[in-house]
């Protein structure tokens, strides 16, 4: 696994917490020191290390432990702060309802061209019509490299190495490019970010008007990462970082620091030379793996349940007011996913673990939710807010845009209607009669509700029911 050295030293710091008898200031200090040492050894920027460890220390001392014991609380804080440092937030999604133009920038040799192909493949696999364009006028072989890559992975490539400037190249093809859902622009690099390159990229940026600009950086850049990142940030609106060559180094902390400097999350990582060696980056998942979360997972779920309580309350209030729409459903599905697989969630609920619910059934439901998320990404804001207005032509467009079958989109809309009905039953007093204690005890009825609902409010309801017995 990538960054395994950092991982093993962070794990050591965590076992210190786990094996301690009490959590006091001395322990917090000791653990903070260990974390500092491990991060610095992985080339993470010193200032960032100090900031990060300061928040861990402050939170560990000040925060109230919200239902967790002190050790659990400290471990949760370490996990949360590390995830935040790596740019937590939603996973990358394309901007809906418009052509996405993704500009890749970075110094020479950082992996831009390779990453152009990887990103292209990533979107092609998600049923998008993808084009790649080479705007590197510096190295004559640059276009050829991308052209061959495109031929291999069957993605259209544009480029005109005989032209003098990136702008000329992009303008030459702008009509043709308008036919694609996603256009990935591979730009030129230099050994250094000199004025010439800055000027070239700023001017290319103004012609392309990218929906996203990703800074590509090799995991092996070390301490120079901050300087590079800062220079690009000063001149461009960098919306994310892609770290390539994560497979080739035990360090990589330098590149990870870059996202903190450009103030944008790590979006993808490259883990090899081949097109498929590419992963969407999720800082929480990454940190879980880094910390060897197998044994921590239960704890984190417990912490999330406690913390999300508030958010669930919020959602509940909104639903009470009767305007539950597809955005809420989306959020619900996201919250579910965050808590882990359905079977794990079932295990967390007192009494549910022993019900022996068919795991195939749960798996199938999870698959469906994945598809529905794709479908919802292809809806407009208006459609998500007014699901009733989604007519057949719209269903067709959504299916096409997300690469789903008509059937999938219709099923999603049906699921939404049922969920909405369910919400009303839960939120309006008196309507609970349909879902009395008896049906709560019947695993099938329960599953039915779980399927229809898929939300936290319902879990809370169930837990209340369980507690009442
Ligand atoms: N091991 C490994 N090598 C990579 C990765 N990404 C790019 N490379 C290699 O890094 C070198 C430079 O890549 P290139 O895409 O040409 O960089 P560019 O100059 O920024 O366009 C090439 O030899 C690539 O094969 C990666 O994720 N892992
Ligand atoms: Mg290149």
């Amino acid at each position: 696994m990538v960054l395994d050295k950092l991982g093993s030293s962070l794990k050591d710091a965590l076992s210190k917490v786990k094996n301690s008898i009490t959590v006091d200031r001395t322990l917090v200090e000791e653990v903070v020191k260990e974390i500092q040492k491990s991060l610095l050894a992985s080339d993470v920027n010193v200032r960032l290390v100090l900031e990060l460890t300061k928040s861990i220390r402050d939170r560990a001392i000040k925060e109230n432990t919200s239902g967790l014991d002190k050790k659990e609380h400290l471990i949760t804080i370490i996990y949360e702060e590390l995830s935040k440092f790596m740019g937590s937030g939603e996973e990358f999604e394309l901007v809906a309802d418009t052509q996405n133009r993704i500009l890749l920038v970075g110094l020479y040799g950082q992996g831009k061209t390779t990453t152009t192909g990887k990103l292209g493949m990533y979107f092609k696999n998600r049923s998008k019509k993808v084009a790649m364009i080479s705007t590197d006028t510096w190295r004559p072989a640059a276009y050829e490299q991308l052209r061959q890559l495109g031929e291999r992975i069957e993605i259209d490539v544009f480029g005109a190495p005989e032209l003098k400037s990136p702008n000329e190249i992009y303008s030459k093809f702008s009509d043709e490019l308008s036919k694609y859902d996603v256009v990935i622009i591979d730009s030129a690099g230099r050994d250094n970010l000199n004025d010439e390159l800055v000027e070239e990229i700023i001017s290319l940026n103004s012609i392309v008007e990218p929906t996203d600009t990703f800074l590509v950086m090799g995991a092996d850049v070390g301490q120079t990462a901050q300087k590079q990142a800062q220079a690009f940030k000063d001149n461009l609106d960098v919306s994310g970082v892609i770290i390539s060559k994560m497979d080739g180094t035990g360090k990589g902390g330098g590149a990870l620091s870059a996202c903190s400097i450009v103030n944008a999350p790590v979006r993808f990582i490259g883990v090899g030379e081949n097109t498929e060696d590419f992963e969407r980056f999720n800082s929480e998942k990454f940190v879980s793996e880094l910390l060897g979360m197998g044994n921590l997972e239960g704890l984190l779920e417990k912490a999330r349940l406690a913390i999300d309580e508030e958010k669930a309350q919020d959602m509940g209030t909104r639903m009470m007011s009767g305007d539950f729409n597809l955005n809420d459903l989306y959020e619900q599905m996201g919250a579910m996913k965050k808590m882990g697989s359905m079977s794990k969630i079932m295990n967390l609920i007192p009494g549910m673990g022993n019900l022996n619910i068919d795991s195939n059934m749960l798996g199938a439901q999870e698959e469906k939710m994945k598809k529905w998320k794709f479908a919802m990404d292809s809806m407009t804001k208006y459609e998500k807010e007014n699901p009733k207005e989604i007519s057949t032509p719209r269903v067709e467009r959504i299916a096409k845009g997300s690469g789903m079958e008509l059937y999938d989109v219709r099923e999603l809309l049906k699921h939404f209607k049922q969920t909405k009905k369910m919400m009303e039953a839960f939120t309006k007093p008196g309507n609970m009669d349909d879902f009395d204690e008896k049906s709560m005890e019947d695993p099938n009825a329960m599953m039915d509700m779980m399927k229809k609902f898929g939300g936290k409010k319902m879990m809370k309801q169930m837990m209340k029911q369980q507690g009442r017995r």
Side-chain angles (χ1 to χ4, degrees):
M1 146 171 200
V2 288
L3 291 185
D4 37 6
K5 250 210 213 118
L6 175 63
S8 72
S9 57
L10 286 175
K11 270 178 232 157
D12 287 348
L14 281 197
S15 16
K16 215 169 223 165
V17 180
K18 279 188 250 165
N19 299 331
S20 66
I21 301 165
T22 52
V23 174
D24 55 12
R25 256 190 134 97
T26 324
L27 177 75
V28 172
E29 282 312 322
E30 236 175 88
V31 171
V32 161
K33 283 245 163 62
E34 293 264 329
I35 295 175
Q36 285 175 343
K37 236 174 30 199
S38 359
L39 291 171
L40 288 172
S42 302
D43 275 340
V44 176
N45 173 271
V46 181
R47 183 177 58 78
L48 296 174
V49 170
L50 292 177
E51 272 174 27
L52 172 71
T53 47
K54 182 175 182 302
S55 356
I56 294 178
R57 186 189 290 118
D58 287 356
R59 285 186 59 190
I61 292 169
K62 280 188 207 135
E63 255 174 33
N64 122 12
T65 57
S66 67
L68 302 173
D69 77 27
K70 278 190 165 175
K71 277 190 207 178
E72 292 174 334
H73 184 234
L74 180 55
I75 292 173
T76 310
I77 290 174
I78 294 171
Y79 163 83
E80 284 176 356
E81 290 300 319
L82 279 171
S83 311
K84 208 157 70 187
F85 167 71
M86 296 186 188
S88 53
E90 295 293 303
E91 286 188 338
F92 176 73
E93 305 281 0
L94 289 173
V95 182
D97 300 317
T98 180
Q99 182 188 54
N100 279 245
R101 290 172 303 281
I102 302 176
L103 175 62
L104 299 188
V105 298
L107 295 187
Y108 174 76
Q110 297 299 311
K112 289 178 300 301
T113 305
T114 314
T115 304
T116 303
K118 288 176 176 177
L119 256 186
M121 203 57 196
Y122 178 88
F123 294 119
K124 187 184 159 194
N125 285 339
R126 281 155 186 76
S127 312
K128 300 294 173 204
K129 199 162 178 255
V130 183
M132 310 191 286
I133 176 165
S134 169
T135 61
D136 188 338
T137 52
W138 283 74
R139 286 188 311 151
Y143 167 68
E144 191 50 28
Q145 185 191 356
L146 190 64
R147 196 193 61 75
Q148 284 177 13
L149 185 59
E151 204 170 80
R152 215 167 50 237
I153 59 181
E154 297 180 351
I155 291 178
D156 295 343
V157 172
F158 296 85
E162 71 281 3
L163 293 180
K164 278 192 304 296
S165 76
N167 286 359
E168 277 177 63
I169 301 178
Y170 194 83
S171 310
K172 179 181 161 101
F173 297 109
S174 59
D175 274 355
E176 266 177 278
L177 288 173
S178 65
K179 296 179 201 122
Y180 293 83
D181 303 324
V182 180
V183 179
I184 305 165
I185 301 105
D186 182 17
S187 68
R190 301 281 196 290
D191 288 329
N192 271 305
L193 194 77
N194 56 25
D195 292 347
E196 209 174 5
L197 177 59
V198 167
E199 221 167 273
E200 185 180 296
I201 287 187
I202 290 178
S203 123
L204 177 63
N205 185 67
S206 67
I207 290 221
V208 172
E209 297 186 322
T211 45
D212 272 287
T213 300
F214 292 153
L215 174 62
V216 181
M217 205 174 257
D220 50 2
V221 289
Q223 292 284 356
T224 60
Q226 294 93 49
K227 238 177 82 194
Q228 280 188 34
Q230 188 65 48
F232 279 100
K233 181 199 156 87
D234 289 344
N235 293 293
L236 285 171
D237 190 9
V238 177
S239 61
V241 175
I242 296 181
I243 304 181
S244 66
K245 310 185 197 180
M246 275 296 239
D247 51 311
T249 172
K251 291 189 165 192
L256 280 174
S257 310
C259 74
S260 202
I261 297 200
V262 297
N263 199 14
V266 178
R267 290 311 203 174
F268 295 91
I269 56 173
V271 291
E273 297 196 26
N274 295 322
T275 328
E276 60 275 13
D277 301 329
F278 194 58
E279 294 166 14
R280 183 153 81 159
F281 187 80
N282 174 321
S283 65
E284 289 177 10
K285 201 169 133 238
F286 183 75
V287 174
S288 305
E289 275 173 27
L290 205 58
L291 299 179
M293 291 301 285
N295 34 7
L296 282 181
E297 219 153 317
L299 159 65
L300 286 174
E301 269 160 16
K302 198 169 145 194
R304 281 188 194 122
L305 280 175
I307 292 158
D308 284 355
E309 189 91 339
E310 217 171 289
K311 218 175 151 200
Q313 213 103 42
D314 244 35
M315 207 190 267
T317 320
R318 251 200 351 264
M319 281 179 266
M320 287 274 224
S321 66
D323 33 80
F324 179 72
N325 62 32
L326 276 166
N327 284 318
D328 300 310
L329 183 68
Y330 193 94
E331 204 174 301
Q332 253 186 25
M333 283 171 27
M336 270 307 257
K337 212 174 118 214
K338 242 170 84 195
M339 287 194 288
S341 71
M342 285 236 199
S343 44
K344 254 192 256 142
I345 293 171
M346 297 303 255
N347 277 325
L348 270 178
I349 302 169
M352 294 300 288
N354 333 332
L355 281 180
N356 221 353
I357 289 161
D358 186 352
S359 64
N360 285 337
M361 199 156 105
L362 291 174
Q365 190 60 22
E366 273 169 30
E367 276 311 301
K368 252 186 222 163
M369 298 219 311
K370 245 187 245 161
K371 277 192 180 175
W372 291 342
K373 267 195 104 164
F374 278 140
M376 283 197 244
D377 287 333
S378 287
M379 292 179 183
T380 63
K381 188 163 168 281
Y382 176 80
E383 285 165 347
K384 277 188 268 195
E385 283 166 2
N386 305 281
K388 265 197 197 140
E389 306 292 317
I390 302 181
S391 53
T392 304
R394 284 180 189 247
V395 170
E396 280 163 6
R397 196 211 70 237
I398 293 164
K400 215 165 139 207
S402 57
M404 300 290 125
E405 302 290 334
L406 287 178
Y407 168 82
D408 293 319
V409 182
R410 292 217 175 92
E411 202 186 23
L412 162 65
L413 292 173
K414 204 169 116 201
H415 170 81
F416 166 74
K417 256 197 217 149
Q418 284 171 340
T419 308
K420 190 173 160 89
K421 231 165 134 185
M422 196 73 168
M423 310 270 15
E424 281 160 7
F426 268 114
T427 48
K428 288 195 188 113
N431 279 1
M432 275 301 289
D433 303 352
D434 289 353
F435 310 105
D436 55 11
E437 303 258 337
K438 236 197 197 112
S439 58
M440 284 287 180
E441 270 157 22
D442 169 7
N444 284 329
M446 196 71 170
M447 261 324 289
D448 243 28
M449 282 170 55
M450 193 81 186
K451 273 200 297 189
K452 284 179 189 155
F453 198 90
K456 214 167 298 169
K457 180 96 182 161
M458 143 110 164
M459 298 227 324
K460 278 175 68 188
Q461 190 70 34
M462 290 199 301
M463 282 190 265
K464 251 195 237 151
Q465 296 275 356
Q466 295 280 345
R468 240 184 257 158
R469 262 176 231 158

